[in-house]
């Protein structure tokens, strides 16, 4: 069973169809001002490709350290590890910006490492 992010072409096409419903309507009218980082639906392709690459790299790393881990499905382990790390990072950046001091970030990295290593062993 593979949990690696798949190519979401169909989902992307649905998104493009949504935007094409209002070809001459400014985006601000539809949903307010878009975020400054948003460059449009094509940006999703880059994010999806990046996510697939991250999963591929993490799975390869786990495979190379298989002897140090308990018996576990590598696809599931990859999904759990990447998801846990992303959750900590995203939650910190989005909801706890006050925790972004150098010292606290080092502590978060250490604690997240302990969590992931504990899961894998």
């Amino acid at each position: 069973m593979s949990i690696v992010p798949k190519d979401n072409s169909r989902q992307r096409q649905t998104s493009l169809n949504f935007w094409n419903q209002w070809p001459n309507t400014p985006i601000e009218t539809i949903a307010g001002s878009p975020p400054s980082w948003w460059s449009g639906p094509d940006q999703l392709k880059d994010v999806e490709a990046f996510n697939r690459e991250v999963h591929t790299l993490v799975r390869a790393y786990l495979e190379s350290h298989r002897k140090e881990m308990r018996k576990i499905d590598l696809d599931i382990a990859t999904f759990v590890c990447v998801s846990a790390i992303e959750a900590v990072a995203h939650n910190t950046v989005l909801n706890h910006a006050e925790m972004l001091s150098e010292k606290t970030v080092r502590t978060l990295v250490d604690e997240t490492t302990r969590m992931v290593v504990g899961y894998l062993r």
Side-chain angles (χ1 to χ4, degrees):
M1 173 172 113
S2 178
I3 305 179
V4 174
K6 296 182 177 140
D7 179 6
N8 292 324
S9 298
R10 184 174 178 188
Q11 183 179 9
R12 189 170 39 260
Q13 186 58 49
T14 301
S15 176
L16 290 173
N17 289 342
F18 171 80
W19 291 111
N20 289 335
Q21 289 175 17
W22 294 285
N24 299 316
T25 305
I27 185 66
E28 294 80 11
T29 304
I30 299 168
S33 297
S36 59
W37 51 263
W38 178 251
S39 63
D42 287 339
Q43 185 178 12
L44 292 175
K45 289 192 296 191
D46 296 336
V47 171
E48 290 167 357
F50 177 77
N51 285 339
R52 282 191 303 276
E53 186 174 340
V54 166
H55 277 77
T56 299
L57 291 170
V58 170
R59 191 186 190 292
Y61 178 84
L62 294 178
E63 180 69 46
S64 71
H65 292 273
R66 189 106 157 106
K67 293 178 183 175
E68 302 167 42
M69 300 182 324
R70 64 187 169 93
K71 186 176 180 180
I72 189 169
D73 180 297
L74 289 182
D75 289 328
I76 291 175
T78 299
F79 175 78
V80 169
C81 291
V82 171
S83 296
I85 294 166
E86 285 179 342
V88 170
H90 290 162
N91 192 27
T92 302
V93 170
L94 296 176
N95 302 312
H96 301 281
E98 74 280 0
M99 296 176 68
L100 293 176
S101 71
E102 187 175 333
K103 180 181 177 184
T104 306
V105 169
R106 271 191 257 125
T107 302
L108 282 171
V109 168
D110 290 345
E111 294 302 317
T112 305
T113 301
R114 283 186 185 91
M115 176 178 61
V116 170
V117 170
Y119 163 73
L120 293 170
R121 288 193 175 156

